[in-house]
Amino acid sequence: MSNAEAAGVDAAVSPAAGHQAVASGASAEAGHPARWWILAVLAAVAFMAQLDLFIVNVALPVIGRSYPGSSLSGLSWVLNAYAIIFAALLVPAGRLADHFGRRRFLLVGVAVFTLASAACAAAPTLGVLIAARAVQAAGAALIVPTSLGLLYPAFAKRQHAMVVGFWAGVAAVAGTAGPPVGGLLVEVSWRWIFLINVPIGVVTLLAGMKVLPEVRAVAGSRLPDWLSAAGLLASVTLLVLGTVQGPSWGWGSGRTMALLAAAVVVIALTVVRTLRHPNALIERDLFTSRPFTGASVALFVFFIGFAIFLLSVVLFLQGQWHYSVVRSGLAIAPGPATAALFAVNAGRIRARFGRLLPAMLGTLFMAVMAGYWMLFTGAAPDYPAAFLPGLIVGGMSAGLTQAPLFAAAGTLPPDRATTGSAVLNMARQVGSAVGVAVVVVILGTGAAHTLTEFHHVWAAQAIAGVLAFLAIAVTARPIHLRSRACDNM
């Protein structure tokens, strides 16, 4: 962080930690003395929060059997409640954390997430489980943007690309590791997919209290405009609620049409407020960065496809090929392994090819994976030839795409890192909720699904991959000298 950048944050001493955040150009050259411990703690809490968005997918059929009478549309709220609340609160949480203290918000988020995880594990009814998932998502919304916001001041500016790539790689691994980890835990009991968070949360909370410094906005800074904050919350909630309820209510029903119409109106009013108010929740200046704008759109569309992939694969393996839960999880495991291989090498890949090329290839691989399954999967199980190659390509897609897109927050001023991270994650979560809704729309709410229906689902996934590719390509800076473009992207 340079002298000018350090002026954007007021680094306070953390009484619990006894450490001081980076606040001067001199100390910024070396970074925080405990920066590697800080990275370990922040990566752990971010992994926990991101993992829980996807770990539940593989357990949905088993959860449904625990609550007789539940339908696919009802069970989808175990996913959607988390995705909606997570998406709606990310940006407000990020801005408030900048004002009141990122360390404070992160530690509160870990505590809320841990307690809500215990409530999910003990849920006696589906309604209680959904409510506990909503609270769990609120805790995750406090964790994810603040974790990246605390990383920037802890490391020297020259290391920002490396640590952001690592942080984004953790998110990639968390998303793809959800199904296999969930499958193994469900073999014991589906409640373990939530209960496992409790010891992890307690350990990371204690470690965070010890090593994390406090970082907040400069003294006297103003709170974000409450009208734009309320508008964003309402926009995300109405849009996703109308989308996920459309299949069960009927797209032409009065309730669905009213929700979607209200979403359009509120979104328009929120955009106007954002453009006009000098202290809007999402500052319009964020989108003067073309890479950041492209990454925001690409993450939204990419995660529509990614959510389609995760949920449809679980339903296909268990419904069409009649795999058990644990066998499904193990069958999906090569995907996360491939994603992890590419994610941990995100820094080297960026150094060799730049930020742009890996992200574009990764989005196209999303379409290639779906196309392969459409061409080769049939009703008869043929895992090595018909399923596994597509899964490997999907792992490459996740590992290549997410790190460079999340690293677009690094194109923003350092005092906007938390807000930028929150916007990118909001795009990711809204896209995930829409992707789940697309699966429900195409497959319907019944228990049995045809192979043709799954091919239609994968066609939608392929379209999402292509659209994400176009979002990156359209917003890319003109390339005159390839090496310079790679450095700047």
Side-chain angles (χ1 to χ4, degrees):
M1 191 180 293
S2 66
N3 289 324
E5 291 164 345
V9 294
D10 176 29
V13 175
S14 168
H19 295 301
Q20 187 171 352
V22 177
S24 68
S27 60
E29 291 302 317
H32 195 283
R35 58 190 177 277
W36 298 110
W37 286 107
I38 291 171
L39 175 61
V41 171
L42 296 177
V45 296
F47 181 87
M48 183 176 66
Q50 299 282 9
L51 178 70
D52 241 61
L53 182 66
F54 301 104
I55 196 173
V56 182
N57 291 50
V58 73
L60 274 186
V62 178
I63 293 174
R65 290 194 288 272
S66 296
Y67 302 118
S70 56
S71 63
L72 179 58
S73 60
L75 285 170
S76 70
W77 276 99
V78 177
L79 307 175
N80 291 330
Y82 192 94
I84 292 171
I85 301 299
F86 195 7
L89 293 182
L90 274 166
V91 178
R95 285 297 302 274
L96 292 174
D98 280 342
H99 189 86
F100 292 108
R102 298 173 187 175
R103 175 183 182 272
R104 177 182 301 170
F105 267 57
L106 184 133
L107 294 178
V108 170
V110 173
V112 169
F113 188 90
T114 303
L115 291 172
S117 296
C120 289
T125 66
L126 181 60
V128 172
L129 176 60
I130 292 171
R133 284 280 285 172
V135 177
Q136 193 184 39
L142 298 178
I143 292 172
V144 173
T146 49
S147 64
L148 184 56
L150 285 166
L151 271 181
Y152 273 112
F155 283 84
K157 186 178 180 181
R158 68 181 183 277
Q159 296 177 303
H160 284 182
M162 179 270 293
V163 296
V164 173
F166 182 85
W167 184 93
V170 166
V173 175
T176 48
V181 173
L184 293 173
L185 291 175
V186 165
E187 185 70 7
V188 180
S189 169
W190 65 262
R191 298 181 188 275
W192 272 96
I193 65 177
F194 302 111
L195 196 59
I196 195 67
N197 292 326
V198 176
I200 298 174
V202 171
V203 170
T204 53
L205 182 62
L206 295 175
M209 293 173 65
K210 183 173 179 61
V211 305
L212 295 179
E214 185 59 282
V215 181
R216 59 169 61 90
V218 293
S221 61
R222 298 173 58 190
L223 285 168
D225 170 49
W226 71 271
L227 278 178
S228 61
L232 180 67
L233 286 168
S235 298
V236 173
T237 302
L238 290 169
L239 176 63
V240 179
L241 181 61
T243 302
V244 300
Q245 287 299 106
S248 57
W249 287 353
W251 291 106
S253 70
R255 289 184 293 179
T256 303
M257 297 299 292
L259 277 176
L260 295 178
V264 171
V265 172
V266 175
I267 289 171
L269 293 174
T270 303
V271 169
V272 172
R273 182 73 176 181
T274 298
L275 293 175
R276 294 181 177 179
H277 198 279
N279 200 37
L281 182 68
I282 300 178
E283 305 98 320
R284 61 181 180 271
D285 292 345
L286 292 179
F287 296 97
T288 59
S289 167
R290 287 170 62 91
F292 179 80
T293 302
S296 300
V297 176
L299 278 169
F300 168 72
V301 184
F302 179 80
F303 270 90
I304 293 177
F306 194 71
I308 291 172
F309 151 56
L310 289 178
L311 182 56
S312 67
V313 162
V314 171
L315 296 174
F316 176 80
L317 291 176
Q318 296 184 31
Q320 281 287 310
W321 286 1
H322 306 292
Y323 279 20
S324 66
V325 174
V326 67
R327 189 181 181 189
S328 297
L330 292 174
I332 297 169
T338 305
L341 178 64
F342 281 86
V344 297
N345 289 288
R348 294 180 180 177
I349 293 172
R350 175 169 175 161
R352 176 67 177 85
F353 299 104
R355 187 186 67 86
L356 185 64
L357 183 60
M360 296 178 76
L361 284 176
T363 54
L364 287 180
F365 284 162
M366 169 73 73
V368 171
M369 167 178 54
Y372 185 90
W373 285 337
M374 291 170 64
L375 288 173
F376 296 106
T377 55
D382 186 8
Y383 178 81
F387 189 81
L388 181 59
L391 191 64
I392 297 297
V393 173
M396 295 170 62
S397 174
L400 286 172
T401 303
Q402 295 185 64
L405 291 184
F406 279 112
T411 65
L412 304 173
D415 62 334
R416 294 292 179 266
T418 304
T419 304
S421 170
V423 171
L424 294 173
N425 276 283
M426 180 182 70
R428 166 189 172 129
Q429 306 316 329
V430 174
S432 296
V434 173
V436 171
V438 169
V439 174
V440 176
V441 168
I442 296 176
L443 296 184
T445 59
H449 312 293
T450 67
L451 181 63
T452 300
E453 288 174 331
F454 280 107
H455 284 183
H456 292 163
V457 167
W458 292 329
Q461 176 187 328
I463 292 170
V466 172
L467 292 177
F469 168 84
L470 293 175
I472 300 171
V474 168
T475 55
R477 292 172 180 170
I479 299 177
H480 301 295
L481 296 174
R482 181 180 177 278
S483 61
R484 179 176 297 177
C486 289
D487 291 337
N488 293 335
M489 297 304 291

